[in-house]
Amino acid sequence: MKWIKRIGLLFVAIVLVAILAIVAFALTFDPNDYKPQIAAQVEKETGRSIQFNGDLSVTIFPWLGAATEDVVLANAEGFEPESMIEVKRLEAQAALLPLLRGEFEIGTLLLEDAQIHLTRLEDGRNNWDDLLERSAESAEASGSEPERVEPQDGGGPSLVLTVGGVDIRNATLHWRDEQADQQLTIDGLALTTGELADGTPTDIELVSGFRLAMPDMPVLNGSVDLTTKAQLWLDRQDMLFEDLELNLVASHDDGAEAGLPERIEAMLQVEKADVRAGKSQARLDGVVLDLNGKGVGPLTYLESRLETVLEADWAAGRYQLPRLSLSADLKGLPEVDGTVSVSASAVVDADLAAGTASISDLVFASDPVRGSGQIDVSGLNTGELVSSGPIEIAAFDPRELADRLGMIVPEMRSDDALRQFAMTGQIDVTPSRAMLNDLRVTLDGQELTGRAGIDNLESGRLLARLQGGDFDANPYLAPKTEGDKDASESSGSGNGGSAQSKAATKNAEIDLPVETLRGLNLDARLQLESLRYEDYRLSSPVVHLTAAGGQLQLAELTANAFDGAIDASGALDVRGEVPSYAGKGHVQGVSLQPLLIAVMDEDRLLGKGDISFDVTTQGKRVDQLKSGLDGNADFSLRDGKIRGFDIGYLLRRAQARLEGKTEPEPEELSTDFTAITGTAVIRNGVVRNDDLAGSSPLLRVAGKGEVDLPREQIDYGLTVTVVNTATGQGGKDLERLKQVPVPIRIKGAFSDPSISLDLESLAREAAKGEVKTRVEEEIDKRLDEKGGDAVKELLKGFGL
């Protein structure tokens, strides 16, 4: 049996020799001697030069591995900086003995202090394009893509890959996009994992900071923190993540001016994420996203939460959110005090291959508002999104909503006003518009229908076309106070208000929201069957208002009211420093007294009338509007009276003075008329009329003069002639003044004008009339009719 012993000794000797050879190799082998060859091979494969500025070290047993320091891979030609990748230390190891069993066991991969520079130039070239091109060329040279090695079912052991872990320390990624003028830096990147083995759970933790710089925007700084427990099955290409938590914080120092949030905190939690990459499928359960922000747009603070489940089949383009809920607390909304809470829930189903999606069972709420709807979306695969579907807001109390928002509702005449609001409509959203069609709005039992929204998204034009039945505006008007009633009563007698209050009103500046009006783009039309306002009822009123670029047009204002018809239009231009106004219209067959009470709180003119006007003006204050008034007007009044001014009484008083009799006491100070016509020219607020013509059964009136609106002064002359003493306003008492022109002067302030007659002229005309009458009587007695007429004509030449 000596040969067995000899064989054993020989085997031991061989092993000792082998060990001595390995030790001798390890002791004598210097991998640094091969740096040039390694660098040349890398340059051959990548087209990039590589520098090993530190030492290379190699281990053989029990780990076959290599480590190096200070490695620099050059950048592509034409890119800066000179290096694309810089690594201070790189280590990789593989266990030697498991390789003999068909197992590939890698130790912890270490990457320390890496600097990676990625760049895209203005022409669109990236500094990694050449690497991808060489990889594609290498694949073509080898024939095709490498075949996938499938696991064996029994024909032999399969390759088992185990990685002891990944340890990336203090890595920095620099991204510069010259096309978009953006720069992103991810710094302090740290990634650690446990053992990475097929089907074995492992912990993963990633921590990183970042810095994002964009043109015309403040620099954004932040951090990212990720932890999860993961399992990977390489053969099935399946991944399972449990208890995933991702926290992101971003902030800046001066982003308020740029419209960026001052600070954003995002916290994503996923209870379980089952990703089956081989089948292009995934399911995420227990997804919770908390998003908190400070200084988000107009909000001082935002706190929101999204909860959902996600089912995805990205190969088929199908995504489902069978349970989606969103809640948020909003602070700092304009004109709103306190916090506004909103919530929504829905079921979302998207088919990207077909380009469609549906949002069903949509429910949204913000107490006391409750709404529901369903939205269908198409065009997801073309970029031409189209959305449609019904939406409804259930009836709620707007006053309760205002209370919750901390808003003050103006006092109204009725406590029942603004107590119920509801709305239904059909969403119609395309790339060019966002509208609500089939719109039905109910306010306190009063209904409007039509459509409203943005009919041109490019210009942002608001469009509304609404119509309704009988609408009573009185409940929404400000309540009348005792002072209002007193002023209303006194205005009819011409004594309303003190001089101080009138001066304040005259010089009051008109507070127009100029910036809002300049940005307004609007086309709105409202048509009602009737509108009740105060004691007046407007039948078939139509209002059509347009606005664009600081120009507002009252394109249409029509109504049947005050027993007649109103047709007017107007304009407001706020493009310049001083607003300008224009208006034109025609009022036909209206009852004058109620119209003037409604418009001017003036009740002294009664009757029917037709009025046309075309005027312009400009100014920031009431007095400026008066002094800038230009235009023209004409009027035709009939079958009425003028209160506070009695021409008949003035004539009777004048006649009494001529006859030396006691002046009569006035009865009702008013003047009846059958018709009054005239035209007016307005220049710089002064209204000039030269063709006034009035008539009544008793009188004929002609007049001309001026009304100075800025100074509130009148200077007007009337010539009154009694034509029929048999009827009207004490005509029998004016027999002596028949056919005598009576000059009347109206002059002074609007509030207290003086009304005077030229008695001397009147006496002269009256005497002349008497002489003429007597002469005519004598001629009639002595001459025949033919000769009498000839003499009368002769006497006319002498003023008789």
Side-chain angles (χ1 to χ4, degrees), residues 7 25 53 61-62 90 230 268 330 548 550 556 560 628 631 673 701 706 711 781:
I7 291 174
F25 176 78
N53 297 323
F61 188 84
L90 176 65
L268 174 65
L330 315 176
E556 181 181 9
N560 295 322
F673 64 85
V701 180
E706 293 182 345
R711 295 171 52 226
K781 290 178 181 179

Side-chain angles (χ1 to χ4, degrees), residues 209-510:
F210 63 86
R211 185 176 185 273
L212 175 63
M214 295 184 291
D216 302 323
M217 302 290 276
V219 176
L220 195 64
N221 297 286
S223 62
V224 177
D225 184 355
L226 170 69
T227 60
T228 187
K229 184 181 289 293
Q231 285 180 269
L232 289 81
W233 291 269
L234 297 180
D235 56 341
R236 303 200 309 261
Q237 300 183 48
D238 290 350
M239 294 171 280
L240 178 64
F241 299 93
E242 295 181 301
D243 299 327
L244 185 148
E245 293 188 8
L246 171 65
N247 297 321
L248 181 146
V249 178
S251 63
H252 56 78
D253 297 329
D254 55 355
E257 296 181 358
L260 290 178
E262 183 178 336
R263 180 179 175 87
I264 284 289
E265 298 179 3
M267 292 150 281
L268 174 65
Q269 296 178 335
V270 180
E271 182 180 320
K272 182 179 179 181
D274 189 356
V275 181
R276 302 186 178 185
K279 296 182 179 180
S280 303
Q281 297 175 347
R283 178 183 173 90
L284 278 64
D285 291 294
V287 178
V288 178
L289 174 62
D290 290 314
L291 183 64
N292 302 329
K294 182 179 179 183
V296 182
L299 300 176
T300 56
Y301 188 72
L302 164 69
E303 183 175 331
S304 63
R305 166 167 285 197
L306 180 148
E307 299 180 70
T308 189
V309 171
L310 171 63
E311 297 178 2
D313 184 343
W314 58 86
R318 293 295 303 272
Y319 298 86
Q320 292 181 314
L321 301 174
R323 295 190 302 274
L324 172 65
S325 65
L326 174 67
S327 61
D329 290 333
L330 315 176
K331 295 182 181 180
L333 286 169
E335 308 299 330
V336 175
D337 295 332
T339 301
V340 177
S341 298
V342 298
S343 62
S345 62
V347 175
V348 180
D349 191 344
D351 186 344
L352 299 186
T356 61
S358 67
I359 303 174
S360 58
D361 298 331
L362 173 62
V363 177
F364 53 91
S366 178
D367 285 339
V369 180
R370 295 283 188 279
S372 61
Q374 172 150 351
I375 303 174
D376 294 321
V377 182
S378 61
L380 293 174
N381 53 350
T382 63
E384 299 290 323
L385 294 182
V386 175
S387 302
S388 62
I391 191 169
E392 177 181 0
I393 296 178
F396 69 93
D397 186 341
R399 290 180 181 266
E400 182 182 348
L401 176 62
D403 289 341
R404 290 181 177 271
L405 298 179
M407 302 175 68
I408 298 176
V409 177
E411 190 176 359
M412 299 180 182
R413 291 187 185 176
S414 173
D415 292 336
D416 295 328
L418 214 63
R419 286 295 185 184
Q420 187 184 66
F421 177 89
M423 187 192 78
T424 62
Q426 189 79 16
I427 292 175
D428 176 23
V429 179
T430 70
S432 62
R433 67 179 181 271
M435 296 292 296
L436 270 177
N437 295 326
D438 300 328
L439 182 63
R440 186 177 299 273
V441 176
T442 303
L443 179 62
D444 299 329
Q446 303 183 109
E447 190 173 274
L448 296 174
T449 61
R451 59 194 180 103
I454 305 174
D455 77 323
N456 189 321
L457 291 175
E458 183 177 354
S459 66
R461 182 176 62 189
L462 301 173
L463 176 74
R465 293 290 184 270
L466 299 174
Q467 54 270 346
D470 299 328
F471 195 92
D472 188 357
N474 289 326
Y476 309 97
L477 301 179
K480 282 189 175 181
T481 64
E482 290 301 322
D484 293 332
K485 294 177 182 177
D486 294 342
S488 177
E489 293 169 359
S490 62
S491 65
S493 59
N495 298 318
S498 65
Q500 184 178 2
S501 64
K502 287 187 175 182
T505 302
K506 177 180 177 180
N507 297 318
E509 185 160 344
I510 301 172

